[in-house]
Amino acid sequence: MLGFVKKEAVFVIALFFALVTAFFNPPSGEYIEAIDFRTLGLLFSLMGISEGLKESGFFSSCSSLLLRKSRNMKMLSMLLVLMVFLLSMLFTNDVSLIMFVPFSILMLEKEGADERYIARLVTLETISANLGSMTTPVGNPQNIYLCSVYQIEAGNFFATILPYSALSLILVLASAYFFLKSDEMLKSEDEGRSKTGAKSYVYIFLLFLALLTVFNIISWIILVVAELVIMLVMDRKIIKRIDYVLLLTFICFFIFSANIRKIDGIASLISAPMEMNGMLTSALTSQVISNVPSAIFLSAFTDNYKDLLIGTNLGGLGTPIASLASLISLKLYFKRKEVRKGYYMAFFLILNFFLLGLLLSIAVFLNR
């Protein structure tokens, strides 16, 4: 039992929060309504796709390609961080991290990288995904929600968010350049083109379906059913590798978010600070219940979509809970055999809060 608690600490914390707040909002049909099954279905599918691509040799092929194009470890690492930032605009921060964190760890392990170096890269990729995803309305769930609730036009959305996105890109690359110091030449020799199994094309097709799901072109149910059928027919072992505890963790946070909205005392405490400074309030609230639930919860207390949009997007920095996408990279890093959990958490928190403070200070100055 103790071993499970240590291994799945994030899930245990999420479950604790859900249970405590359940005293204020006893279990009912509202719990089912609070669960975002679309997000869970997409997460399930993407974890399966990631495992399938790994099994098929796709990651190995990509690894060989990047190794051939990169002169040294630093160039390789910065390229990975940049790719995560750019792809998170379209594939969302969750998708980018599910796809790139295992891939990056695999590549650095192949190069014999120091464990602290791996921890820094995973942290920077997480920050890159959270900041890059704010650039577009489909980059993350809170943007989709806020654009729908406030009927934000494309021009207004980009005018609000692009200055922070551009600044974030500069800060992310500067941080990567500073913290990923390594002049070591890549050790792996060019082994030529790695063989990619035929299964890769099947999972790439599923990834395409996942992208259509993100853009609401097809239903998430179609994606999940199609993937389940494919895995049952040709890759049953992939189903066993999916991290179901992570899915339960998300469910606990959905319930926690629904419960906390029912507590009158907390609701009244939120109204006043939202009127005073909605941007700072939403960023700080995100640290406790994450930015997606914060956007849903706080939208009932303000008509100022700009403050909420900026606050919840920048608020994805900070604690691991601030963005549910951060939990993904944390889980992917922690589940490995040899990790430096203390170092990872210290580096993650220090860099996240430094960038959060810097970006929020600039945002407050620009919106005086």
Side-chain angles (χ1 to χ4, degrees), residues 281-299:
T281 301
S282 56
L284 293 175
T285 305
S286 297
Q287 304 307 304
V288 182
I289 63 173
S290 91
N291 52 6
V292 178
S294 292
I296 298 171
F297 175 53
L298 297 175
S299 61

Side-chain angles (χ1 to χ4, degrees), residues 53-70:
L53 289 173
K54 186 189 301 182
E55 180 73 19
S56 69
F58 178 80
F59 283 170
S60 296
S61 296
C62 292
S63 174
S64 297
L65 177 61
L66 278 178
L67 288 172
R68 291 196 298 270
K69 298 296 182 180
S70 302

Side-chain angles (χ1 to χ4, degrees), residues 163-179:
Y164 303 101
S165 176
L167 178 59
S168 294
L169 178 58
I170 296 172
L171 291 174
V172 165
L173 291 178
S175 298
Y177 183 85
F178 182 79
F179 289 111

